Amino acid sequence: MEGGLRVKTLTVGFLAANCYLAYCEDTREAIVLDPGGDGDKILKTIDELDLKVKFIVDSHAHYDHIAANGELKEALNVPILIHKADAEALVNPELNFSSFLAYPYTSPRADRLLEDGDQIVFGRVKLKVLHTPGHTPGSICLLGEGEIFTGDTLFAGGVGRTDLPGGSFQKLVYSLKHRLMALPDWLKVYPGHGPQTVLGYEKRVNPYLRHL
Ligand SMILES: [Zn+2]
Ligand SMILES: [Zn+2]
């Protein structure tokens, strides 16, 4: 185990996104992955768990994953990280889907742009960035030693929609086939919405993975 990665799941916003507080058990250094709303609830939990947040990370730039970026950045004064292909959507309400939801939202700009293979380090934990485009051009998964955070690329029993701006079903299938299918079965999956699952189980029963 990589210095004891612990995960606290919070369901946030009216689209019920999973916001993950991923932290190093030893040092309490943490990331906030996908603060998609309910900033007060996220901040309160950070406080309760006595976490030292190093980064805000967005799995992609849809509104339901970034809506509390501004509130958290102001409170915590830490960098926002996102894949470079979704960076512009942070500050474009058409691209980040908020216009369609009638809550036009502009996030602060990213402080660090991620690329495939980058590492996000907090305490003794290292998470590797996998670029998995399809749901959006800059969708990423974060891979640890025993777990993967999949954003809206992969859910228990499903995958993210590809009919929004920048989405591509073809690219999503490529990402699933060449990136996720290649990973070990025993990885615990923390998706952007809905319950946790296990990668090997999804490979067998998920209709989008089963035939790949
Ligand atoms: Zn999304
Ligand atoms: Zn979502």
Side-chain angles (χ1 to χ4, degrees), residues 119-133:
Q119 285 200 324
I120 298 172
V121 182
F122 45 102
R124 285 161 54 188
V125 177
K126 291 188 183 83
L127 296 178
K128 187 178 162 193
V129 174
L130 301 185
H131 183 210
T132 52

Side-chain angles (χ1 to χ4, degrees), residues 43-59:
L43 288 168
K44 188 163 164 268
T45 310
I46 289 168
D47 212 45
E48 283 166 3
L49 293 173
D50 193 26
L51 302 181
K52 301 187 260 292
V53 175
K54 307 296 282 184
F55 307 110
I56 295 163
V57 186
D58 299 323
S59 68

Side-chain angles (χ1 to χ4, degrees), residues 60 62 64-65 135 152:
H60 64 294
H62 280 156
D64 56 322
H65 299 257
H135 176 66
D152 286 2

Side-chain angles (χ1 to χ4, degrees), residues 72-137:
L72 260 67
K73 172 140 180 129
E74 198 173 315
L76 302 169
N77 192 28
V78 296
I80 295 175
L81 280 51
I82 194 166
H83 188 273
K84 58 181 181 178
D86 267 20
E88 210 45 46
L90 279 182
V91 293
N92 182 329
E94 302 286 326
L95 292 179
N96 68 34
F97 194 49
S98 58
S99 293
F100 297 91
L101 298 166
Y103 298 100
Y105 177 71
T106 304
S107 161
R109 283 194 179 274
D111 300 282
R112 175 178 152 198
L113 298 182
L114 298 170
E115 291 185 51
D116 188 63
D118 282 354
Q119 285 200 324
I120 298 172
V121 182
F122 45 102
R124 285 161 54 188
V125 177
K126 291 188 183 83
L127 296 178
K128 187 178 162 193
V129 174
L130 301 185
H131 183 210
T132 52
H135 176 66
T136 65

Side-chain angles (χ1 to χ4, degrees), residues 174-192:
Y174 187 93
S175 294
L176 296 171
K177 185 170 180 175
H178 296 279
R179 307 308 302 271
L180 297 189
M181 287 301 282
L183 297 172
D185 284 357
W186 39 263
L187 286 177
K188 195 169 180 180
V189 177
Y190 292 95

